[in-house]
Amino acid sequence: MPQTIVQTQALTRVEELLSSTVSALDPKPRLELNAIVPTVSRCLDPGPTESSEQVVVSRAYWLRDIPANHNLAIAYQVRDHWVRQGHVILGTAGLESGHPDIAGETRPDGFILALVWAEGDHLYLASSSPCVWPDGTPEP
């Protein structure tokens, strides 16, 4: 991840990741912004090369108009698409119960990807950036 990535570039990347994933799905969902997930939040757990002055950029969309009996198929399509894109699957849960949750990370830039099952048999797709500077790397 280049040190010079800024908040607006991170949001563009998050949206590209989500759009790319949705384009691989059949049936195609109708996207609805999930307002529970904040768009920008403080970097809460900065690593050795990060700062609490940095931010994390996130976006999440409910996958609407997907029948509940398609949730598992959608989950496998998401997982397979991420693997084809070269992303790493960090974990899966709930596949046996039909309540799929999948977490991934992009390579080499370290964005987090998630497909999440929610109460009522709903799915949402989310992505978050690593910690980034709001306006570019500050002067040393």
Side-chain angles (χ1 to χ4, degrees), residues 1-19 21 39 50 55-59 82 85-91 102-115 126-133:
M1 164 74 65
Q3 288 291 330
T4 57
I5 187 170
V6 296
Q7 184 174 319
T8 54
Q9 292 167 314
L11 181 58
T12 297
R13 176 74 170 137
V14 162
E15 289 287 3
E16 287 170 353
L17 290 165
L18 296 174
S19 177
T21 301
T39 300
E50 299 167 328
V55 296
V56 172
V57 178
S58 303
R59 186 63 54 98
W82 290 348
Q85 298 302 306
H87 308 319
V88 174
I89 302 302
L90 300 175
I102 303 173
E105 184 176 334
T106 65
R107 295 287 192 246
D109 55 1
F111 281 66
I112 298 298
L113 301 164
L115 176 75
S127 181
S128 297
S129 75
C131 297
V132 299
W133 293 103

Side-chain angles (χ1 to χ4, degrees), residues 3-77:
Q3 288 291 330
T4 57
I5 187 170
V6 296
Q7 184 174 319
T8 54
Q9 292 167 314
L11 181 58
T12 297
R13 176 74 170 137
V14 162
E15 289 287 3
E16 287 170 353
L17 290 165
L18 296 174
S19 177
S20 170
T21 301
V22 169
S23 71
L25 302 181
D26 183 26
K28 293 283 184 246
R30 176 178 56 84
L31 300 182
E32 178 184 313
L33 187 64
N34 181 340
I36 295 171
V37 177
T39 300
V40 179
S41 55
R42 285 272 168 224
C43 182
L44 296 178
D45 189 19
T49 62
E50 299 167 328
S51 162
S52 61
E53 297 301 311
Q54 291 177 295
V55 296
V56 172
V57 178
S58 303
R59 186 63 54 98
Y61 290 100
W62 292 105
L63 303 180
R64 299 297 192 203
D65 302 334
I66 299 291
N69 64 345
H70 284 74
N71 282 352
L72 203 51
I74 290 293
Y76 285 117
Q77 291 174 41

Side-chain angles (χ1 to χ4, degrees), residues 72 76 92-100:
L72 203 51
Y76 285 117
T92 61
L95 297 174
E96 331 63 50
S97 65
H99 302 153

